[in-house]
Amino acid sequence: MEFNAPRWPPEWPELLDSVEKIIRSGDWGRYHSPVCDALSRALRDWFQSDSIRLCCSGTAALEIGLRAAKVGVGDEVVLSAYDYPGNLRTVELLGAKPVLLDVEPGKLSFSADRLRSLAESTDAKGIRAVVASHLFGDLANTPEMRVICDRMGWVLIEDLCQSPGASVQSAEVHNGNGVSRNESLGVAGEIDPQQLMGTFGHLTTLSFGGSKLLSAGSGGALLINDSRLGARLGTWVERPGDVYSMSPLQAAVLIPQVERVETMRDHRNEIWQLLRSERLTRYSRWKWLGGDCPHSTTNPYKVAWLAESAEQRAAITGAAESIGLPVGVGYRSFAKLSDRRCRKIDPCRSAAALGEQLFVLDHRALLIESQRIDELLAALDSVYAKVTGV
Ligand SMILES: Cc1ncc(COP(=O)(O)O)c(C=O)c1O
């Protein structure tokens, strides 16, 4: 058996048009181009952000965001014990200490309850910011986290690098404390039935790296939802040229992708839901992670499962590779990080298990045409049979 994953990055005609225009205009060789302004506008309109800063990567966006939040030596930043490793390194680079919360079992993020307990502890004085990542299609409860951060004077940074286009219904925002989104965000007027993830953080990072749903090979953006934070950025980033700049060519390939983002999201979601509905009957020994967020619409990036053991995970990736199924391993967790480098609030057992057993089916597989779903299931079935003997 051989699985033929759909092509990514795509070769859409409008991508070719957009790049051709930039070449013909000569903007590809200039410092400033209207195409970068057009991308900023498209992102600002999409997320209704106060302002946008395009930059060279999602990691750079976090660094800029942490600096805007005035995070520096001796401060603390809350992170998940299972997260993109660059997020932790960026916190450390600024001389701040990561404070690690464990992920919830069956989820890929820490809960608002864990953050609330930390806020209510006597150990919260040094905390300046919280980074909450939406990983592999699972959504962190940033609406509720924002309420906690506002109360504590912490800056909430949403990492939306993997999930641009995911949204949540206001019902979820009416959390256990009876707090509505309007109250929590201080926004007057009607409650929006679907609010985009990335609009809850004071700041939000996006990545346009090579594996991402919106890709320019590399690139990123910081969405600024709080004007006081935005005002601090200019002097730091512009010296006098933008030290983290995005090129016009990158912006040119991103605009057509932003225009198609909802169509692509809906297609991936259809395949994701099909897999989700098959998960218990066909792949019951693998634990489906994430995507079970009530009232929300995710934008699936990768499908994450927990293998039964680290050995089984290695067998899964080997078997998948042999038939061309795009499967890989997740991140290493921060559970074993020394106490010198971080402050662990929990024993981080769930994060440790993710680090050893999590594997992901790449988003390219989710781009398969609906009528080819049987090919994807057959490929997964064959891997499952090989490694479980079932
Ligand atoms: C969740 C998350 N955050 C941040 C990043 C960093 O983005 P970049 O590679 O553009 O620096 C990534 C990239 O893989 C990511 O997956």
Side-chain angles (χ1 to χ4, degrees):
M1 155 163 333
E2 193 62 35
F3 179 77
N4 283 315
R7 180 192 168 120
W8 186 267
E11 205 189 293
W12 302 330
E14 65 266 39
L15 281 171
L16 298 173
D17 280 356
S18 188
V19 171
E20 191 180 338
K21 271 192 201 127
I22 285 292
I23 303 284
R24 290 196 187 283
S25 70
D27 277 354
W28 63 274
R30 302 199 169 101
Y31 278 120
H32 301 290
S33 160
V35 75
C36 292
D37 300 335
L39 177 62
S40 290
R41 264 198 313 279
L43 293 174
R44 206 181 54 217
D45 292 350
W46 184 21
F47 288 98
Q48 299 284 298
S49 314
D50 214 67
S51 58
I52 300 280
R53 187 157 277 270
L54 302 179
C55 59
C56 53
S57 69
T59 308
L62 181 66
E63 184 182 333
I64 298 168
L66 289 168
R67 288 195 191 270
K70 291 200 172 149
V71 169
V73 177
D75 292 327
E76 290 190 321
V77 176
V78 179
L79 293 161
S80 171
Y82 186 83
D83 200 358
Y84 176 69
N87 287 354
L88 181 115
R89 289 202 203 123
T90 304
V91 169
E92 289 186 306
L93 174 93
L94 296 178
K97 194 163 205 175
V99 175
L100 301 181
L101 292 178
D102 201 3
V103 297
E104 300 314 303
K107 291 269 301 167
L108 294 166
S109 57
F110 56 84
S111 66
D113 283 344
R114 260 180 223 273
L115 188 65
R116 191 176 298 108
S117 302
L118 177 60
E120 286 165 1
S121 74
T122 50
D123 251 1
K125 287 191 195 64
I127 295 169
R128 199 174 269 282
V130 174
V131 179
S133 301
H134 304 286
L135 293 184
F136 306 133
D138 184 48
L139 300 178
N141 188 351
T142 45
E144 225 179 302
M145 291 180 194
R146 172 67 185 255
V147 181
I148 300 164
C149 287
D150 277 348
R151 206 175 54 231
M152 298 301 292
W154 297 341
V155 174
L156 176 62
I157 305 182
E158 267 187 87
D159 179 332
L160 195 68
C161 291
Q162 298 185 355
S163 314
S167 62
V168 65
Q169 271 176 23
S170 53
E172 199 173 10
V173 186
H174 283 281
N175 57 54
N177 293 338
V179 179
S180 77
R181 182 179 68 85
N182 292 46
E183 289 162 17
S184 68
L185 297 184
V187 179
E190 290 291 297
I191 291 185
D192 187 346
Q194 280 284 337
Q195 188 173 348
L196 282 173
M197 287 305 187
T199 58
F200 295 99
H202 299 93
L203 300 167
T204 292
T205 61
L206 295 178
S207 164
F208 307 124
S211 68
K212 295 298 183 296
L213 300 179
L214 299 170
S215 181
S218 63
L222 184 68
L223 311 182
I224 300 153
N225 301 326
D226 181 318
S227 52
R228 285 164 310 165
L229 296 170
R232 290 190 199 135
L233 286 177
T235 45
W236 193 80
V237 174
E238 288 147 21
R239 307 182 215 167
D242 182 343
V243 282
Y244 293 100
S245 65
M246 169 184 282
S247 79
L249 271 170
Q250 287 170 303
V253 293
L254 285 165
I255 289 174
Q257 296 180 67
V258 172
E259 284 164 3
R260 278 210 205 194
V261 76
E262 279 164 8
T263 322
M264 301 295 287
R265 177 197 63 196
D266 294 347
H267 179 78
R268 275 190 300 265
N269 248 318
E270 187 188 334
I271 303 297
W272 159 281
Q273 293 299 350
L274 282 166
L275 283 178
R276 190 166 173 263
S277 64
E278 297 288 339
R279 74 193 193 281
L280 293 176
T281 39
R282 288 174 113 113
Y283 315 118
S284 58
R285 287 168 63 174
W286 296 341
K287 187 167 179 188
W288 175 273
L289 292 168
D292 284 324
C293 312
H295 318 300
S296 61
T297 307
T298 187
N299 190 356
Y301 172 57
K302 301 192 181 196
V303 183
W305 269 289
L306 201 65
E308 292 177 293
S309 64
E311 295 71 35
Q312 189 190 66
R313 178 174 78 169
I316 291 167
T317 50
E321 192 184 351
S322 71
I323 57 167
L325 190 64
V327 167
V329 299
Y331 310 131
R332 289 171 66 174
S333 85
F334 310 142
K336 291 200 182 124
L337 220 62
S338 73
D339 292 343
R340 189 181 51 77
R341 283 182 64 188
C342 67
R343 182 155 76 87
K344 280 186 219 119
I345 303 300
D346 311 300
C348 300
R349 288 196 194 92
S350 298
L354 295 182
E356 288 178 8
Q357 291 158 243
L358 184 143
F359 67 95
V360 289
L361 178 67
D362 195 83
H363 70 90
R364 275 176 296 150
L366 299 176
L367 289 179
I368 196 166
E369 300 89 335
S370 313
Q371 64 271 24
R372 286 184 60 208
I373 183 74
D374 286 342
E375 287 174 46
L376 177 58
L377 290 172
L380 276 166
D381 287 351
S382 81
V383 173
Y384 188 75
K386 197 161 175 182
V387 302
T388 62
V390 177

